[in-house]
Amino acid sequence: MAIYRAWIAAVLTVFAATVLLALQRPASDAPPELALTVGPATRLLVLAPHPDDEALGTAGLIRRVLGAGGSVRVVLVTSGDAFPEGVEAATHVRRPTARDFRYYGSMRERETLAGMEVLGVRRAQVEFLGFPDGALCYIATRDPSGKAFESPFTRRVDPPVPEQVIHGSQYRGADVRREIEAILAAYAPTIVAMPHPEDHHPEHCATNIFGQEALDAVRRRSPRTAPRVLRYVIHFAQWPNLDEDVDQPLLPPPAFPAGEGSWRTLTLTPAESAMKRRALGAYATQTLIIGRFLHAFMRPNELFIEGDIASPPACWCDDTHYATEPRPDRRRQTGPR
C-alpha cells in the first residue's frame, strides 16, 4: 500500500509539474503579431454572447480602430440575464423571479454601455439583441423556424420590442441568424470579431454558429466585400491561469486543438492596455462573481485566431444536446469531440 501511495504521489507530482510548465511557457511560445492596418475606412463589428465578452476579448482592438479614425459597432446577442448566482449577488434576492432576471439583464446592459464609453464607443454604436441567455445553444438545435423558445429565467419568448432589429423576431434560431445578417448587410464591416467555435462555453460556440451562417449568407450575395474575420476565445478549460502575472502577455491555451486557425497576438500600447483595464472595471456585477477571471484578461495584449476552421463546430449544450452549423455535405456528429 505504501508503494502504491508513493507511486500515486509521484504521478501526481509529474502531472502537476507538466501542467505548471505548460502554463508558464516562455515568451518564445507567443504567437506572431497580428498584421493589422486600420484607418478611417475600417469598420469593426464585434459580436459578443454576453455583456463583458466584448471587453474581455476585444477592448484593445476596439480602441485601436477608434484611435485610427475608424468606426465600431458592438452587438450583444444576449443580455446575460440567466445567471442566478449573479442575480443573488447583485440584488440579494435568493429566489429571483422573472422580473429579477430581467432587471439583472438591464444592469448588465448598462455596464456594457459604461465600459464601451470608456473606450470611446457611443451608445448608438452598441446594439442589444435580447435573445435568451442560457439558451442560444438550445435554440440552435431546434427547428429554426418552429415554435419560439420560452426562457425559464425571464419568461420571455421574444426580445424586448425596442431591441428587435426585425419587428416580430422571436426566440428561434432563424430569427437570430436573420437579425445578425441584417446588421452585417447594413453596416458592411471590414473586420468582424466573434467567438471561436472551440470556446468551451456553449453560448459562445452557438454565437459563432449564428454569426458564421449570417456571414456565409452575406458573402453569397456580395463575395467581393466579405469582411476579415478574427475569432477570440474567452472560456477554455482552466485557461487563463488566474495566478499569472497580468503584466505578462497572454498566451494561447496549451491544449487548444490544432488546425482551427492561426493564433495571432495584438500587442497593446500602454494607453490601450490602461483603457481596457478601466473598461473592465465597469462590469460591477461580474466583478462580484468572477472578478479574478476578468482581471486575468487585463493583459498587455489580446489574442485572436484567423483562418479556416478545420471542421464544423459541435456545441455541447449539455450531456445530450448539441448544436452544429448545418452543412449539406456533412452529417451531424453523434458524440463528444
Side-chain angles (χ1 to χ4, degrees):
M1 181 63 72
I3 294 176
Y4 177 74
R5 288 176 178 170
W7 178 79
I8 290 293
V11 170
L12 291 175
T13 299
V14 172
F15 176 76
T18 302
V19 172
L20 184 61
L21 286 173
L23 293 174
Q24 295 181 343
R25 292 172 296 172
S28 59
D29 284 353
E33 188 71 19
L34 177 69
L36 184 68
T37 301
V38 295
T42 303
R43 295 186 302 280
L44 169 66
L45 186 143
V46 175
L47 189 63
H50 313 101
D52 75 4
D53 292 322
E54 73 289 348
L56 288 168
T58 70
L61 176 63
I62 289 172
R63 188 55 236 163
R64 179 71 55 88
V65 170
L66 290 176
S71 65
V72 173
R73 186 89 170 266
V74 178
V75 179
L76 283 298
V77 183
T78 83
S79 299
D81 44 49
F83 191 7
E85 296 87 350
V87 175
E88 182 176 346
T91 66
H92 307 291
V93 176
R94 291 191 176 183
R95 295 182 179 179
T97 64
R99 182 178 180 180
D100 297 316
F101 283 111
R102 294 183 184 192
Y103 176 69
Y104 182 69
S106 69
M107 292 176 67
R108 295 195 66 178
E109 288 185 354
R110 290 194 294 272
E111 290 171 356
T112 280
L113 295 177
M116 292 300 96
E117 184 178 9
V118 170
L119 301 176
V121 181
R122 300 188 303 274
R123 173 64 183 91
Q125 296 169 298
V126 181
E127 190 140 22
F128 300 101
L129 302 187
F131 285 103
D133 183 27
L136 285 183
C137 187
Y138 290 106
I139 65 175
T141 71
R142 296 157 61 98
D143 179 354
S145 302
K147 182 180 179 181
F149 178 88
E150 180 180 350
S151 168
F153 300 95
T154 64
R155 296 300 175 188
R156 284 179 169 140
V157 295
D158 50 14
V161 173
E163 296 182 355
Q164 293 179 12
V165 175
I166 300 174
H167 181 69
S169 289
Q170 293 188 305
Y171 286 173
R172 296 178 298 212
D175 291 0
V176 182
R177 297 181 187 99
R178 284 194 310 141
E179 290 211 345
I180 296 174
E181 183 180 341
I183 291 170
L184 288 169
Y187 184 56
T190 58
I191 302 174
V192 171
M194 66 182 188
H196 192 281
E198 291 292 341
D199 191 301
H200 282 175
H201 196 303
E203 305 284 280
H204 290 234
C205 185
T207 295
N208 174 82
I209 287 179
F210 291 128
Q212 187 61 56
E213 290 178 352
L215 279 169
D216 290 344
V218 171
R219 282 172 175 158
R220 284 193 293 269
R221 292 201 305 268
S222 183
R224 294 184 179 180
T225 59
R228 181 181 185 183
V229 179
L230 303 176
R231 295 180 173 87
Y232 58 88
V233 174
I234 304 297
H235 302 279
F236 192 88
Q238 299 304 309
W239 178 90
N241 182 0
L242 304 187
D243 296 321
E244 281 183 339
D245 181 1
V246 293
D247 290 330
Q248 297 301 313
L250 185 64
L251 298 178
F256 198 83
E260 298 295 340
S262 300
W263 284 95
R264 294 291 183 264
T265 187
L266 176 65
T267 301
L268 307 182
T269 66
E272 290 168 344
S273 183
M275 293 183 78
K276 177 166 186 171
R277 294 185 180 212
R278 284 178 51 210
L280 285 171
Y283 299 85
T285 63
Q286 302 315 290
T287 301
L288 287 172
I289 302 294
I290 55 169
R292 291 186 68 206
F293 185 75
L294 268 62
H295 188 256
F297 282 88
M298 297 179 181
R299 305 296 188 109
N301 71 312
E302 289 177 344
L303 293 173
F304 297 96
I305 305 172
E306 190 169 20
D308 294 335
I309 303 301
S311 59
C315 305
W316 285 89
C317 316
D318 55 29
D319 291 340
T320 56
H321 297 87
Y322 63 93
T324 63
E325 181 181 345
R327 297 284 180 91
D329 59 336
R330 290 179 183 262
R331 295 183 179 180
R332 291 172 69 94
Q333 299 184 24
T334 57
R337 299 174 67 182

